[in-house]
């Protein structure tokens, strides 16, 4: 059980975790924190939090479980503000989409990665933001990756794992670097492709017509280009090395595809499309 839960950043992810834990009866009071009161008032109205503070140092007072659900670029400042005012029994976790940068932020703010900090990342989300986007079922049956470091306390790890399981998630652990490589390929690169495709088409002189006739495939492929730009700027910068490596590889493959189209090599195209379809069918079903 969590006595007092502090959610720093009451948006899609932080708000959904609060709702899931509340619905399970797993926590007592829930304190929210953000910069603007409009979103926090909405979070109170929706029953996500009981009350709020706009200063993270106030929000974590007396909390035994703290969730950092702010954009990656805000993590280091948040660690610096809360580190000296946490309750003695507090455990802190985050939900950031890249892990190396958050671990570096914790180290920079605290001198070392503190034993009470358990880095985490729920592999769940939508393209929507803010408290109004939150829903209790978001993590049901979805994976959450924890990337504890050598200094992470076992007890903290157990408590964070337990909370995510109560929220309905399947928890796995992996090293920080491995997480960032895997997520660069499966999430970060697809978002870069979606943003770039929409931007590229919208710059064409006949873009109005292009978008007017865009059908299901275009909508499916580009849904994630409606995601929050600040969040994705932070992710691209935070996971720069792994993202550049996988993007370069993708660019090589795209060049090969273009070469095959240019030389009219139907066999090469068919082989590529068949292999890709088989791989997707295998992992989706
Ligand atoms: P979100 O809906 O925009 O929520 C972020 C919240 O943080 C907002 O309510 C915002 O409120 C607050 N905030 C922003 N900057 C802040 C700051 N400097 N200090 C304090 N609060 C701040 O975003 P989200 O989708 O929940 O993402 C939150 C985290 O989850 C990010 O680190 C992201 O990488 C990670 N994540 C996202 C997804 C996804 O699909 N969306 C999936 C997995 C993980 P104010 O603007 O009022 O401060």
């Amino acid at each position: 059980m969590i006595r007092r839960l502090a959610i720093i950043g009451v948006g899609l992810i932080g708000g959904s975790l609060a709702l899931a834990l509340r619905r399970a009866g797993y926590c007592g009071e829930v304190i929210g924190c953000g910069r603007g009161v409009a979103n926090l008032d909405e979070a109170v109205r929706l029953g996500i939090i009981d009350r709020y503070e706009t200063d993270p140092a106030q929000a974590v007072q007396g909390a035994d479980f703290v969730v950092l659900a702010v954009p990656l670029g805000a993590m280091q400042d948040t660690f610096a503000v809360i580190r000296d005012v946490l309750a003695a029994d507090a455990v802190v976790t985050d939900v950031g989409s890249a892990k190396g940068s958050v671990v570096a932020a914790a180290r920079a703010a605290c001198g070392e990665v503190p034993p009470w900090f358990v880095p985490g990342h729920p592999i769940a989300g939508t393209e929507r933001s803010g408290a109004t986007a939150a829903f209790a079922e978001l993590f049901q049956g979805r994976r959450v990756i924890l990337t504890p470091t050598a200094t992470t306390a076992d007890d903290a790890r157990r408590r964070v794992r337990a909370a995510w399981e109560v929220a309905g998630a399947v928890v796995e652990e992996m090293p920080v670097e491995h997480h960032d490589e895997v997520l660069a390929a499966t999430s970060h690169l697809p978002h870069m492709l979606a943003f770039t495709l929409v931007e590229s088409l919208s710059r064409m002189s006949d873009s109005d017509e292009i978008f007017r006739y865009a059908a299901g495939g275009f909508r499916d492929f580009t849904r994630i280009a409606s995601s929050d730009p600040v969040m994705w700027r932070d992710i691209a910068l935070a996971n720069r090395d792994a993202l550049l490596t996988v993007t370069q590889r993708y660019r090589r493959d795209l060049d090969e595809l273009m070469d095959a189209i240019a030389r009219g090599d139907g066999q090469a195209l068919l082989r590529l499309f068949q292999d890709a379809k088989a791989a997707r069918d295998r992992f989706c079903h």
Side-chain angles (χ1 to χ4, degrees), residues 31-48:
I31 320 298
C33 181
R35 298 164 304 176
V37 296
N39 181 61
L40 294 167
D41 280 331
E42 194 62 16
V44 172
R45 194 185 67 75
L46 293 168
I48 299 172

Side-chain angles (χ1 to χ4, degrees), residues 14 89 101 192 229 260:
D89 64 344
S101 74
M192 299 304 121

Side-chain angles (χ1 to χ4, degrees), residues 7-16 33-40 54 56 68-75 77-78 94-99 102 120-134 138-139 187-188 191 227-228 230-232 234-235:
I7 303 281
I8 316 298
V10 191
L12 169 70
I13 303 294
S16 296
C33 181
R35 298 164 304 176
V37 296
N39 181 61
L40 294 167
T54 50
L68 308 184
V70 294
L72 289 167
M75 292 287 182
D77 286 350
T78 310
D94 80 300
V95 298
S97 304
K99 298 277 44 94
V102 181
H121 178 204
I123 312 299
T126 73
E127 69 282 12
R128 300 187 55 232
S129 304
T132 53
L138 177 61
F139 308 113
S187 170
H188 306 170
H191 277 81
S227 303
D228 182 48
V230 171
M231 184 175 112
W232 280 98
D234 286 5
I235 292 171

Side-chain angles (χ1 to χ4, degrees), residues 135-212:
F135 58 103
E137 301 80 15
L138 177 61
F139 308 113
Q140 203 64 47
R142 308 302 294 270
R143 284 179 210 283
V144 168
I145 301 174
L146 302 183
T147 62
T149 68
T151 52
T152 308
D154 278 348
D155 177 59
R157 200 160 91 180
R158 269 196 299 276
R159 285 163 63 192
V160 171
R161 173 182 277 271
W164 278 115
E165 285 174 351
V166 166
V170 178
V171 181
E172 294 182 14
E173 294 188 10
M174 64 173 69
V176 170
E177 300 73 25
H178 188 55
H179 168 280
D180 285 359
E181 283 166 17
V182 170
L183 269 293
T186 55
S187 170
H188 306 170
L189 174 61
H191 277 81
M192 299 304 121
L193 300 184
F195 281 125
T196 315
L197 175 64
V198 176
E199 174 63 3
S200 176
L201 295 187
S202 70
R203 280 201 204 126
M204 291 181 179
S205 55
D206 50 356
S207 63
D208 282 355
E209 189 164 31
I210 289 171
F211 287 117
R212 194 170 327 127

